[in-house]
Amino acid sequence: AALANGSRTVPEMGEREAWESGVGDWIGLVRASTHPHEHDAVLRELLPPPAGLTLDVGCGEGRWTRELAELGYDIVGVDRSNALVSAAREADPSGRYDVAPAEELPFGDGEVSFVLCVNVLMHIVDLDLVLSEFARVLAPGGALVVGLAHPMMEAGTFDEESGELRISAYFTEEEHVLPLGEHHVAHQHRTIEGYVRALIGNGFVLDDLREVPGRTGGTPKYLDLRLTRA
């Protein structure tokens, strides 16, 4: 699989096993006070008001689940990683968390009013399968808010200090291997068009799209979208 810098490597274990083994590294990164979450403010602007059941799909260690619960959302965090869900439950004993893959959500048809999915879809191989599952559990008129690493960031090389982004393979859909502690996980590189067409093709209407810059402000780092289930 291709790395963003053009080199290639082979992960020593599968994606699921890497997340289970690297959970401590991920939690440390997410919870560190110095770790920037540059698109949090934009995602908060895209949130619909609390109404009905909310799912935080790919909740990880539960950061967004906890925040939305404090804001009055009736929310359940869902993640395929037992280790991450255990960490979320430890941090939030009164919260509700389920272990399940995004492709098989344990909820009935039209049972959900709002799905939040932050920093997850880049890891999904079969995007249509997951988006069709979101459409299944969402009631007509329900909201989907998605946060992604901006596809431009994975289409070449990026210098964090200078903010220089060199694009070389934006239209090449391929797997990019990323380090997680001593292991590796993968992003499935897609174009903005690839994401939007898949969302529309699975019954969603695009309401808003935001491109969020990184620290230097000169290049896009995140892509955030709000959609409605038709």
Side-chain angles (χ1 to χ4, degrees):
L3 285 166
N5 64 8
S7 63
R8 305 181 72 85
T9 186
V10 177
E12 68 274 20
M13 60 174 62
E15 176 98 350
R16 185 187 300 271
E17 292 79 11
W19 276 110
E20 294 295 329
S21 299
V23 64
D25 297 291
W26 178 250
I27 291 172
L29 180 67
V30 171
R31 294 182 180 176
S33 59
T34 57
H35 177 64
H37 302 285
E38 286 102 334
H39 61 157
D40 280 8
V42 171
L43 288 167
R44 292 184 186 109
E45 292 175 4
L46 297 177
L47 296 175
L53 180 62
T54 293
L55 302 185
D56 179 8
V57 178
C59 68
E61 57 76 55
R63 184 174 69 93
W64 274 104
T65 309
R66 294 190 297 273
E67 178 170 333
L68 265 63
E70 292 175 358
L71 293 174
Y73 289 80
D74 178 19
I75 189 165
V76 179
V78 182
D79 201 285
R80 71 177 183 177
S81 167
N82 284 286
L84 284 170
V85 169
S86 294
R89 287 171 174 162
E90 182 179 352
D92 180 21
S94 63
R96 291 179 292 164
Y97 298 91
D98 285 333
V99 177
E103 300 90 340
E104 299 177 12
L105 298 172
F107 300 90
D109 295 358
E111 185 178 352
V112 178
S113 296
F114 170 36
V115 170
L116 177 70
C117 187
V118 178
N119 295 339
V120 173
L121 293 186
M122 310 90 68
H123 297 281
I124 299 298
V125 175
D126 193 335
L127 184 61
D128 281 322
L129 182 61
V130 168
L131 296 181
S132 66
E133 182 69 349
F134 289 178
R136 181 188 69 80
V137 299
L138 273 168
L144 171 63
V145 172
V146 172
L148 300 164
H150 198 289
M152 293 286 281
M153 288 292 294
E154 297 188 4
T157 58
F158 178 67
D159 187 316
E160 185 75 30
E161 292 301 318
S162 68
E164 183 179 56
L165 178 63
R166 295 184 178 181
I167 304 302
S168 58
Y170 180 72
F171 291 103
T172 302
E173 295 194 355
E174 60 186 0
E175 185 175 89
H176 292 176
V177 177
L178 305 172
L180 178 63
E182 298 179 354
H183 309 294
H184 295 88
V185 295
H187 280 188
Q188 307 300 319
H189 172 65
R190 303 176 176 96
T191 63
I192 295 175
E193 177 183 347
Y195 280 112
V196 172
R197 288 179 65 87
L199 287 157
I200 292 172
N202 281 281
F204 291 95
V205 176
L206 182 62
D207 299 324
D208 203 348
L209 183 152
R210 309 282 188 88
E211 295 178 287
V212 183
R215 179 179 57 81
T216 63
T219 53
K221 187 169 185 179
Y222 296 103
L223 175 68
D224 297 333
L225 309 96
R226 184 178 65 210
L227 307 104
T228 297
R229 168 74 163 90

